[in-house]
Amino acid sequence: MPVVPRSAARGPAPVNATTGDAVPTGCHPGPVRRLLPVVLALLLTGACTTAVPGTAVPGSVEQRGPVGPVPAGLDRFHAQPLTWRDCRPFGTNDVARGVFGKRTLQCATLTVPLDYAKPQARTVELGVLRRQAAKPDQRIGALVVNPGGPGASGMEAAAGLGARNKGTEVTDRFDLVGFDPRGVGFSGPDVVCLTAAETDALRSAPPVTDVAGYEAQSRDYAAKCAERSGGAEVLGNIGTREVARDLDVLRSALGEPKLTYVGYSYGTRLGTAYAEAFPGNVRAMVLDGAVDPERGVVDQVIGQYHGFDQALDAFLIWCRGTGTCTVRDRKTLMALIGRVHASPVAVGDRRITGLDATRAITASLYSPLTWQPLSDAIDALDAGDGTALLEMADSSYGRQPDGGYSGATDALIAVRCADDERVTDRAALLPAVEGTRGTFLAAAQPVLPALDPCAFWPAPATATPHKPRVDGIPPLLVISTSGDPATPYLAGVNLAEDLKATLLTFSATQHTVFLQGNTCVDTIGAAYLVNGTLPAPGTTCTP
């Protein structure tokens, strides 16, 4: 079954909210998660003080909207006050609750319509986190961030990026704001497809290698999503089209006449959708790790398979150069995965399968920061100990210490099935079979041209590949990394051309880079966000 979870989905690397140091972990965004046959996969109350416009005392009600144009029927949403409170009750896992305990952070809920065509009907609550500008006398406004996925928590991303970039012009002059998109983290509606027990069982089961068996799993997954998540009403209103509208409600409620935004990976798709829907409401956007809006699912999968192949080659070259790796070439690695496919390795009362090993390796190719722990884990598996690699796979799947799962995978698939064109003809997948032949992922996960869960989804797709219509937007900045495994470099080139944006190239092997410690990229991005200064055409940064 085609799936991958939140920790593997985010753009910027997670950070320790206390030290600001990067936490080595994998990322895994994009449609590849739909086609990989890897099966995985809050009610808040509080007292409020009297409304004080423009204040930010935790527990205070802040009324700043409506600001800017308000679409018909949405007045009450754009004008809603935000009640800023302690963030800890908003954490949906132990890590988030720990990060959210910082006194510099404030959280609120934002109410939006489930279906924007019926704004007077059912509503959902979204979680919002803010880290206020450190120098309020120099404050420019709010900077909203989306870390990607889809399925990654914007609240956790804003908290982490704020800690890592403390003392920089970005955190000095902007309120750093993140929200959990609908169906993600704290935010409703609940998207539930598989139980933790079902996910564990599918991960440990022998891999399905025939098209009919794989499609039976896909059909079952879609049926469970519909049954457990609210059917077509919910699953038809979970995609990027709706999240872009939520983002505009947030902009207004924050009191921002125009949106300042940073989007990573899938967040570039959200940013593009927002710019297309609300071109006059954009102040500035940094789009890092681009999803090409003109390319369909099959083309994107082919690009990703080759992107991960290139990243694997770079990892193995590094591995041979360190002199410490036992498994240091592709043939040996594939033989190891083949052995684990045939005979999973026991890890306590669990076991690591070949698909879990592939998932852990793929997720760890997102950044050179993870290469050393990855090589250690591969060598340990080769010696019969799969503990470390299973832990990496668990992290990628969003498996919690208590055995539960984050739910990010279900949200990811639901959003992808809403966003991407529906592929119901196996013949349409044949180019993917040919285009990925011989790649690492194709060899490890061979069930193509089987249809994925989206072919059996109960709600129609709400978008199709197209050239964005964005007349009237201001100049934007697109960042693309030459060796990005998940969102290949050419996607950034194409997105910059579509948006008439300036392209900044980062020459490295990793997924996304802005606000992650590269002085060249961070300086250029900050100058753009603060005063609109763009780099000269053809500018390239290096590690």
Side-chain angles (χ1 to χ4, degrees), residues 461-528:
T462 56
T464 57
H466 66 281
K467 183 179 180 66
R469 298 172 290 276
V470 290
D471 292 341
I473 62 169
L476 308 183
L477 178 63
V478 172
I479 302 173
S480 198
T481 300
S482 60
D484 191 321
T487 52
Y489 177 74
L490 185 59
V493 175
N494 294 341
L495 182 63
E497 181 179 346
D498 282 346
L499 301 180
K500 298 180 175 58
T502 296
L503 176 68
L504 172 63
T505 295
F506 182 55
S507 181
T509 299
Q510 67 181 65
H511 180 53
T512 77
V513 60
F514 183 50
L515 298 180
Q516 295 170 54
N518 182 273
T519 301
C520 176
V521 173
D522 290 354
T523 299
I524 290 172
Y528 166 69

Side-chain angles (χ1 to χ4, degrees), residues 39-326:
V39 186
L40 318 171
L42 306 166
L43 176 65
L44 178 71
T45 59
C48 301
T49 64
T50 304
V52 185
T55 67
V57 179
S60 67
V61 179
E62 196 173 274
Q63 176 85 50
R64 291 187 174 181
V67 178
V70 178
L74 301 183
D75 303 71
R76 70 185 178 104
F77 299 103
H78 281 248
Q80 67 184 287
L82 297 177
T83 302
W84 297 102
R85 313 167 185 174
D86 178 5
C87 286
R88 281 171 294 186
F90 288 74
T92 57
N93 55 64
D94 289 342
V95 172
R97 282 186 286 272
V99 171
F100 289 0
K102 290 289 183 179
R103 287 181 294 176
T104 54
L105 303 178
Q106 301 153 348
C107 290
T109 56
L110 181 79
T111 302
V112 296
L114 172 64
D115 184 348
Y116 276 89
K118 302 174 183 177
Q120 302 307 316
R122 179 179 171 183
T123 61
V124 294
E125 302 295 315
L126 309 181
V128 181
L129 178 144
R130 176 174 70 178
R131 184 186 192 277
Q132 288 191 284
K135 296 181 177 179
D137 58 323
Q138 299 179 30
R139 179 183 180 276
I140 295 172
L143 171 60
V144 182
V145 300
N146 179 279
S153 167
M155 299 176 74
E156 293 181 34
L161 288 172
R164 179 166 187 164
N165 291 278
K166 183 179 179 180
T168 66
E169 196 166 24
V170 169
T171 56
D172 283 348
R173 306 197 63 184
F174 289 99
D175 296 344
L176 202 58
V177 176
F179 72 104
D180 283 357
R182 49 179 65 198
V184 174
F186 180 86
S187 297
D190 290 337
V191 176
V192 180
C193 300
L194 299 183
T195 66
E198 288 169 339
T199 301
D200 278 346
L202 286 168
R203 285 179 60 188
S204 63
V208 176
T209 57
D210 63 291
V211 169
Y214 182 78
E215 290 185 357
Q217 288 187 340
S218 293
R219 188 179 289 105
D220 179 66
Y221 183 90
K224 287 176 177 174
C225 287
E227 176 187 351
R228 297 169 179 176
S229 302
E233 181 187 22
V234 167
L235 297 180
N237 289 285
I238 202 73
T240 302
R241 179 188 64 179
E242 284 69 35
V243 178
R245 294 170 179 174
D246 297 341
L247 183 54
D248 197 54
V249 173
L250 176 61
R251 173 201 58 76
S252 179
L254 290 170
E256 298 296 316
K258 294 182 183 294
L259 176 70
T260 304
Y261 174 84
V262 174
Y264 299 91
S265 194
Y266 159 80
T268 69
R269 171 176 274 187
L270 175 58
T272 300
Y274 183 90
E276 191 168 18
F278 306 102
N281 294 357
V282 176
R283 175 187 173 270
M285 284 188 175
V286 176
L287 304 177
D288 183 2
V291 175
D292 188 340
E294 294 193 59
R295 298 184 72 185
V297 171
V298 171
D299 286 343
Q300 290 192 45
V301 167
I302 292 171
Q304 285 190 323
Y305 272 49
H306 286 281
F308 280 108
D309 244 34
Q310 293 169 7
L312 178 63
D313 287 342
F315 163 71
L316 291 172
I317 289 171
W318 168 87
C319 209
R320 290 190 290 272
T322 67
T324 62
C325 303
T326 301

